[in-house]
């Protein structure tokens, strides 16, 4: 919402009609003005588990009679960060490609990823305490037009996987 919209909402929240109950829902709490948040009861919902999201997305694909590669569904689930609405929205964008079989190669523009070798090289430079190499990798990535937000996300996913492997846990998702 714009600032003027937030101000109008704030006025309504300060003097609500007796018969009204407002329910505000967002996945981006940081975008809500503190003056509005202070006038609300807040309920934080848990993220939807990986398996439930996977089942739901597979059902959608089956109902649309479209085959989607498992890697694609994994990327959608990871990108949506436990939010089913976001996962369904991303899947909808992928299904709009109007392909009967969708592979990881088909979704590059919808779900961009950074080059895994570059991300691994960056992680290795950090682990080896080599800041000069780290800066060179970032500079080259920027020059190549890599989305740094996606780069950081991919780096976190690699470190998460390494930690899970190191601790001996069986499940990655």
């Amino acid at each position: 919402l714009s600032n003027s919209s937030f101000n109008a909402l704030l006025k309504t929240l300060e003097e609500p009609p007796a018969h009204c109950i407002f329910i505000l829902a967002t996945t981006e709490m940081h975008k809500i003005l503190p003056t509005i948040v202070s006038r609300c009861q807040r309920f934080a919902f848990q993220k939807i588990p990986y398996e439930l999201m996977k089942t739901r997305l597979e059902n959608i694909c089956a109902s649309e009679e479209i085959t989607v590669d498992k890697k694609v569904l994994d990327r959608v689930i990871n990108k949506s960060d436990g939010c089913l609405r976001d996962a369904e929205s991303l899947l909808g964008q992928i299904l709009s490609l109007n392909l009967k079989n969708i592979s990881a190669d088909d979704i590059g523009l919808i779900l961009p990823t950074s080059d895994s070798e570059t991300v691994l090289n960056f992680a290795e430079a950090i682990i080896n305490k080599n800041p000069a190499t780290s800066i060179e990798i970032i500079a080259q990535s920027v020059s190549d037009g890599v989305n740094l937000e996606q780069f950081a996300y991919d780096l976190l996913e690699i470190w998460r996987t390494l930690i899970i492997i190191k601790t001996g846990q069986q499940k990655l998702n």
Side-chain angles (χ1 to χ4, degrees):
L1 297 174
S2 67
N3 280 339
S4 58
S5 298
F6 269 125
N7 288 332
L9 176 60
L10 182 59
K11 177 128 177 82
T12 305
L13 289 175
E14 287 174 339
E15 301 171 17
H19 63 282
C20 286
I21 295 175
F22 294 97
I23 299 174
L24 308 175
T26 184
T27 56
E28 298 176 322
M29 192 65 179
H30 62 280
K31 292 186 177 180
I32 307 295
L33 294 178
T35 51
I36 298 216
V37 173
S38 69
R39 288 163 173 81
C40 298
Q41 284 185 328
R42 187 168 171 205
F43 300 95
F45 296 102
Q46 294 180 352
K47 294 180 179 184
I48 297 176
Y50 172 87
E51 286 301 324
L52 289 175
M53 289 183 71
K54 181 178 175 194
T55 300
R56 173 70 179 143
L57 297 180
E58 287 173 341
N59 288 340
I60 292 170
C61 294
S63 71
E64 296 292 327
E65 299 178 357
I66 295 175
T67 305
V68 178
D69 188 280
K70 182 190 178 315
K71 289 181 182 182
V72 171
L73 293 181
D74 285 343
R75 283 182 56 198
V76 167
I77 293 168
N78 288 333
K79 183 83 172 165
S80 64
D81 196 31
C83 178
L84 185 57
R85 180 192 67 190
D86 291 351
E88 288 178 343
S89 175
L90 286 172
L91 183 61
Q93 292 175 40
I94 291 167
L95 296 180
S96 72
L97 293 172
N98 287 328
L99 301 173
K100 285 294 181 187
N101 296 304
I102 298 174
S103 70
D105 295 335
D106 297 323
I107 62 160
L109 292 175
I110 296 170
L111 290 175
T113 186
S114 43
D115 176 44
S116 57
E117 184 178 346
T118 303
V119 176
L120 284 170
N121 290 340
F122 181 78
E124 184 178 18
I126 296 292
I127 290 167
N128 293 332
K129 299 178 183 174
N130 189 342
T133 301
S134 301
I135 290 171
E136 287 173 19
I137 291 170
I138 292 293
Q140 185 61 50
S141 295
V142 169
S143 175
D144 292 342
V146 170
N147 178 329
L148 291 183
E149 185 177 334
Q150 186 63 46
F151 183 91
Y153 179 81
D154 292 342
L155 179 64
L156 286 173
E157 278 300 306
I158 286 172
W159 279 340
R160 176 181 163 272
T161 303
L162 291 174
I163 290 168
I164 289 170
I165 291 168
K166 180 104 173 134
T167 59
Q169 297 209 2
Q170 298 296 316
K171 200 164 191 182
L172 293 177
N173 294 306

